[in-house]
């Protein structure tokens, strides 16, 4: 799995960081980021839930 956040779409709700904090964080402006080294989902079972919970669908889970 490969996890990305579309920074042009993200509104900074923070749901990703609250749902899967081992994979997602927020930058200094409050927008979602994927933690360095966690681009593969870090084995966190809540990554898919975080993607589903994003209010603007800014998280993409791809093969990789």
């Amino acid at each position: 799995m490969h996890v990305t956040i579309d920074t042009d779409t993200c509104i900074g709700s923070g749901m990703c960081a609250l749902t899967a904090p081992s994979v997602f964080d927020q930058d200094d402006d409050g927008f979602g980021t994927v933690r360095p080294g966690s681009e593969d989902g870090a084995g966190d079972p809540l990554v898919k839930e975080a993607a589903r919970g994003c209010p603007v669908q800014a998280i993409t889970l791809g093969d990789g």
Side-chain angles (χ1 to χ4, degrees):
M1 175 183 342
H2 185 75
V3 181
T4 58
I5 295 180
D6 182 340
T7 55
D8 292 329
T9 303
C10 179
I11 60 170
S13 73
M15 291 305 298
C16 57
L18 290 171
T19 304
S22 67
V23 177
F24 300 102
D25 200 357
Q26 289 182 282
D27 66 14
D28 292 338
D29 295 319
F31 294 102
T33 61
V34 178
R35 290 183 178 275
S38 296
E39 294 86 358
D40 63 354
D44 191 327
L46 294 175
V47 171
K48 290 180 182 178
E49 184 62 33
R52 281 192 292 268
C54 178
V56 293
Q57 302 301 298
I59 301 170
T60 301
L61 304 179
D63 295 330

